[in-house]
Amino acid sequence: MGFFGKAFDKIKAGLAKTKKVLTTPIQDLFVLTRKLDEKFIDELEETLITADIGVATTTKIIEDLKHKYKHKEIMEVPQVHAYLQASLLKQLQSMPRAVKFAPSGPTVILIAGVNGTGKTTSVAKLANWFRGAGKKVILGACDTFRAAAIEQLTIWSGRLGVEIVKHQMNADPAAVAFDAVEAAIARKADVLLIDTAGRLHTKQNLMTELGKIRRVIQKKLPDAPHETWLVLDATTGQNAINQAKAFNEVLQVSGLVLAKLDGTAKGGVVVAIEEQLKLPVKFVGVGEQIDDVEAFDPEAFIKALLDLDKAEAVAP
Ligand SMILES: Nc1nc2c(ncn2[C@@H]2O[C@H](COP(=O)(O)OP(=O)(O)OP(=O)(O)O)[C@@H](O)[C@H]2O)c(=O)[nH]1
Ligand SMILES: [Mg+2]
């Protein structure tokens, strides 16, 4: 197993790394000495926006809080903290988060996204993650756009000791996908992860090509791809919304991989992205190493976002 052997501990440890990279302004607001008043609520509103929780979610939470404050249902700062925790958790828990595995045969997971968001690295990390969960994994190198892309995934497959299906540069990516599905069936793989070339969501011909990859996969396995994940760069901000809309049109995206969460202090972006896209974040990327991926766990995330370990002292 070598240095990849720790994967399963990682899965069990939950969002340990996410917790380490998350430092949000929300954590600083809840101090013992604060009194609950209009000023506090205004500050909370500002802080939630600053933490990238998003306008829609923030407005909903603040309006509701103001109502509860007015009717004396919430009178102290620790109650606000508990309320905030409960509302955010409720929102995140309403999303279907678990990986949807095929009832039998290989589970095909198609990975897409704009250039440089972290697709290939995420494919490698996910391969390691699924393998840690006892799955037999195979990779499909459908980014045939650059020779370096095929090489990058080949190196990962070698390090991980998982099989890879690839063609030459400039080959039809749909043909590679077809072969990869065939190989996954033949080798009795549990999970096939398909890497695709980065593409600008506004480039119609490239988006059409993605649709073709999907249709060709379906020709071989009618209920595949079982999952289609859009990789978003957590540091991107609002443009992620436009990307997701365009990819969703050609691919019926079933979930998000939010890479580079370690590159932003605004972990709240997970909440905003889900609220706006109505798509679940299934995994988060928290670094460049092979084990820097975590299944997104709302409870652990909220705990980290609101720094609940520290807040225990403040709790009622
Ligand atoms: N800090 C950090 N860096 C990441 C993460 N995921 C990917 N990267 C880095 O982001 C850069 C781009 O990653 P790739 O996986 O090649 O991105 P891609 O989407 O496959 O890129 P294209 O195929 O060119 O579209 C690399 O330098 C990665 O190491 C992450 O979770 N955290
Ligand atoms: Mg790539």
Side-chain angles (χ1 to χ4, degrees):
M1 288 288 267
F3 82 103
F4 299 127
K6 282 187 282 168
F8 199 66
D9 291 343
K10 275 275 152 54
I11 298 167
K12 283 192 298 191
L15 289 159
K17 289 225 174 175
T18 307
K19 191 173 163 54
K20 230 166 77 190
V21 300
L22 271 186
T23 49
T24 74
I26 309 174
Q27 296 163 356
D28 300 329
L29 194 62
F30 289 92
V31 288
L32 265 171
T33 47
R34 289 297 303 257
K35 249 185 78 74
L36 182 57
D37 49 21
E38 302 272 351
K39 188 170 161 276
F40 182 90
I41 296 176
D42 287 346
E43 250 178 78
L44 177 63
E45 181 170 16
E46 233 180 271
T47 307
L48 292 178
I49 299 284
T50 311
D52 261 3
I53 294 282
V55 177
T57 302
T58 300
T59 306
K60 204 168 64 194
I61 288 175
I62 293 298
E63 291 302 307
D64 199 29
L65 178 61
K66 278 183 176 163
H67 181 87
K68 286 185 160 56
Y69 173 67
K70 206 173 133 197
H71 292 84
K72 300 202 169 8
E73 288 168 50
I74 288 181
M75 298 168 76
E76 290 168 45
V77 165
Q79 289 174 305
V80 177
H81 200 269
Y83 161 76
L84 186 61
Q85 181 189 355
S87 343
L88 289 173
L89 196 59
K90 194 171 150 210
Q91 180 167 327
L92 293 178
Q93 279 176 335
S94 65
M95 285 286 180
R97 197 87 49 187
V99 176
K100 189 178 151 236
F101 287 104
S104 64
T107 299
V108 180
I109 304 175
L110 183 60
I111 304 289
V114 302
N115 310 71
T117 51
K119 292 175 296 301
T120 307
T121 312
S122 295
V123 163
K125 292 187 215 170
L126 289 167
N128 187 52
W129 189 92
F130 280 114
R131 221 188 41 169
K135 307 284 183 193
K136 180 175 176 181
V137 180
I138 187 165
L139 307 178
C142 292
D143 180 356
T144 56
F145 214 64
R146 295 173 298 124
I150 303 171
E151 182 64 13
Q152 186 188 2
L153 199 64
T154 304
I155 290 170
W156 279 120
S157 83
R159 283 193 206 158
L160 288 163
V162 300
E163 232 180 292
I164 180 170
V165 174
K166 57 181 176 180
H167 288 190
Q168 296 300 313
M169 185 185 148
N170 292 330
D172 179 358
V176 186
F178 189 85
D179 283 358
V181 175
E182 201 163 62
I185 296 168
R187 317 271 157 76
K188 297 193 165 40
D190 300 306
V191 175
L192 166 62
L193 286 159
I194 296 181
D195 187 27
T196 60
R199 66 200 72 221
L200 215 56
H201 54 292
T202 48
K203 285 256 158 70
Q204 207 48 53
N205 56 328
L206 295 179
M207 296 305 277
T208 306
E209 179 191 82
L210 263 187
K212 184 182 165 199
I213 294 176
R214 183 184 155 84
R215 282 192 304 280
V216 166
I217 291 171
Q218 272 166 345
K219 245 185 231 166
K220 191 77 212 165
L221 256 188
D223 59 342
H226 306 87
E227 291 272 17
T228 300
W229 293 344
L230 177 66
V231 179
L232 294 176
D233 178 335
T235 63
T236 305
Q238 196 60 28
N239 193 33
I241 309 297
N242 300 329
Q243 292 172 18
K245 280 183 184 151
F247 277 91
N248 207 10
E249 264 170 39
V250 290
L251 279 186
Q252 292 173 257
V253 175
S254 62
L256 305 170
V257 175
L258 194 60
K260 309 186 194 179
L261 193 60
D262 55 311
T264 170
K266 300 180 169 188
V269 72
V270 175
V271 182
I273 282 177
E274 287 201 350
E275 159 78 33
Q276 292 189 57
L277 298 179
K278 310 289 179 222
L279 283 170
V281 172
K282 299 228 173 183
F283 286 88
V284 291
V286 289
E288 301 188 82
Q289 302 303 313
I290 192 72
D291 53 1
D292 288 336
V293 71
E294 287 173 341
F296 184 72
D297 170 356
E299 254 172 82
F301 176 77
I302 295 296
K303 223 176 152 170
L305 190 72
L306 301 181
D307 202 7
L308 289 187
D309 293 339
K310 198 170 79 190
E312 310 279 67
V314 190

